[in-house]
Amino acid sequence: MIQQEQRPLYEIKANLFKGLAHPYRIHILEILSSAPETTVSEMIEVTGLEASHLSQHLAVLRRYGLVTSDRRGSVVFYRLAFAQVADLLFVARQLLTELLGSSSEQLSSLGDLPVIALTPPGPTHSAQPATQPGGGW
Amino acid sequence: MIQQEQRPLYEIKANLFKGLAHPYRIHILEILSSAPETTVSEMIEVTGLEASHLSQHLAVLRRYGLVTSDRRGSVVFYRLAFAQVADLLFVARQLLTELLGSSSEQLSSLGDLPVIALTPPGPTHSAQPATQPGGGW
DNA sequence: GCTTGATATGATGAGTTCATCAAGTCAGAA
DNA sequence: TTCTGACTTGATGAACTCATCATATCAAGC
C-alpha cells in the first residue's frame, strides 16, 4: 500500500494526507504528540473508542509509517515515528486558524455564501444548496 | 450555519487533510504554490487532465476554502487562499523526506518541487514533538 | 439573436474506506 | 495448562470518493 518509491511526489504526498484523513487518527496523533509514548489502554480511555476500532486505526498509522510501537510484557507502547508529524499537525492548525477565521468573517459580513469551508460531507447541516464536499460527484 | 468551531479540532483538522488527500489536488496546489495565480487552461496543460475532471477537483478545493478564483472575461484565475497552504505542503515534504529516507534514499524525485519558505518562526524546529500547550487541540 | 471557447455541474457505476462484531494471538498469573 | 487481560486481525454491509461522460453556463464575437 505504501510503496511510493518512484511515483511523482504529489502522489506520495496525497497518500500521506490520506493517512491523516480521519478524525480518530488525528486524535491519536495529537495524543502521541503530547507525550513521549502512550499505551493502547490509555488511548482507549482518552478517545473512548472500542479496542478493535482503535487498533484498526493504529494499524493504518503504522502502515503509513507515522507511528511506531513496541510491546513490553502484555502492554503495547506507541509513539510518533518522526517529530515532523507533530510539525505537520501544528502547521495544519495554523492554517485552520486562518481558514476558520476568514470564513466566519465572510459569513458574518456577506450573509449566506454558498461557501462551506471544511464541512464534512454527509447528512449534516441541511441549510445549504447541494454544494457540499463529497456530496454528489 | 456552519459552526465548525464547536466540533473538536481533530475533526476539523482531519477534514482538512481529507481535502488534500488526492494526487491531483496536491498537484494543483503545488502549481498554485509556484505562481501568484494560474488559469484553468494552464492547469489543464500542466496536469493533462480533462477539463471537467480538473474542474471537479478545483470545486473541491474551493469548497474546502483552500483556493480562491475570479473570472476575467472568459478566463478563470485561481490562487491559494492562504500562504499556509504552501507551508503545509512544505512541511509535508519534509516529513516525507524523513519517512522515505528512513527506508531508502529515493529522494531524487523530490527535486522538482516548488520550495516555499516558511513564515519566520517556522514550525520546523524539529527534534522535539513540540508538546503543544493545552493538549486538546 | 446564434456560435464558439472556457469552465462548471450532474449523474452513474466501480472502487475504496469505515464501523461493527466475531475470532485470534500473545504474555503473565493461577 | 488453563485462564484472563491486552491487543490485533478478519469479515461484512453501509457510506463515501472517484473517473467518465453528458449537459449546462458564461463571455465574447459575429
Side-chain angles (χ1 to χ4, degrees):
Chain A
M1 179 184 195
I2 323 278
Q3 40 193 334
Q4 14 215 328
E5 293 320 307
Q6 31 246 55
R7 300 190 283 141
L9 182 60
Y10 58 81
E11 275 190 25
I12 303 175
K13 216 182 272 183
N15 199 51
L16 165 65
F17 289 127
K18 214 163 154 188
L20 296 170
H22 192 288
Y24 295 157
R25 295 203 287 273
I26 296 295
H27 198 180
I28 291 166
L29 293 176
E30 287 178 346
I31 291 168
L32 295 178
S33 294
S34 64
E37 57 183 16
T38 310
T39 68
V40 175
S41 305
E42 288 170 333
M43 288 191 263
I44 288 176
E45 214 178 303
V46 174
T47 62
L49 289 177
E50 203 201 321
S52 70
H53 196 186
L54 173 63
S55 192
Q56 299 233 46
H57 284 294
L58 287 172
V60 172
L61 291 173
R62 256 185 286 122
R63 244 183 292 127
Y64 277 81
L66 297 172
V67 305
T68 59
S69 64
D70 69 308
R71 162 169 240 138
R72 297 176 211 157
S74 58
V75 177
V76 179
F77 292 79
Y78 278 84
R79 70 200 74 76
L80 295 185
F82 303 98
Q84 285 89 347
V85 175
D87 291 347
L88 197 62
L89 294 179
F90 181 74
V91 177
R93 188 193 178 189
Q94 292 185 309
L95 171 55
L96 285 175
T97 302
E98 288 292 320
L99 230 161
L100 297 178
S102 80
S103 76
S104 58
E105 278 170 25
Q106 281 183 332
L107 289 170
S108 52
S109 63
L110 297 180
D112 56 341
L113 271 192
V115 173
I116 300 182
L118 299 170
T119 302
T124 35
H125 67 301
S126 53
Q128 276 303 309
T131 43
Q132 297 170 12
W137 274 81
Chain B
M1 77 167 93
I2 288 187
Q3 279 104 20
Q4 348 214 1
E5 335 278 338
Q6 291 156 11
R7 296 193 284 138
L9 187 53
Y10 59 80
E11 274 190 26
I12 303 175
K13 214 182 275 182
N15 201 53
L16 164 65
F17 289 127
K18 216 162 153 188
L20 297 169
H22 192 286
Y24 296 156
R25 294 203 287 274
I26 296 295
H27 198 180
I28 291 166
L29 292 176
E30 286 177 347
I31 291 168
L32 296 177
S33 295
S34 64
E37 56 184 17
T38 310
T39 68
V40 175
S41 304
E42 288 171 332
M43 288 190 263
I44 287 176
E45 214 177 303
V46 174
T47 62
L49 288 177
E50 202 202 321
S52 71
H53 195 186
L54 173 63
S55 193
Q56 299 233 47
H57 284 293
L58 287 172
V60 172
L61 292 173
R62 254 185 288 121
R63 258 183 269 130
Y64 276 81
L66 297 171
V67 305
T68 59
S69 64
D70 68 309
R71 163 168 239 139
R72 297 175 210 158
S74 59
V75 176
V76 178
F77 291 78
Y78 277 83
R79 70 199 74 76
L80 295 185
F82 303 99
Q84 285 90 344
V85 175
D87 292 348
L88 197 62
L89 294 180
F90 181 75
V91 177
R93 187 193 173 186
Q94 292 186 308
L95 171 55
L96 249 17
T97 301
E98 287 294 319
L99 228 160
L100 299 179
S102 71
S103 56
S104 84
E105 303 304 318
Q106 168 67 357
L107 302 174
S108 47
S109 62
L110 304 188
D112 55 346
L113 249 235
V115 175
I116 297 94
L118 286 171
T119 41
T124 340
H125 42 18
S126 52
Q128 263 307 20
T131 307
Q132 305 303 331
W137 49 289

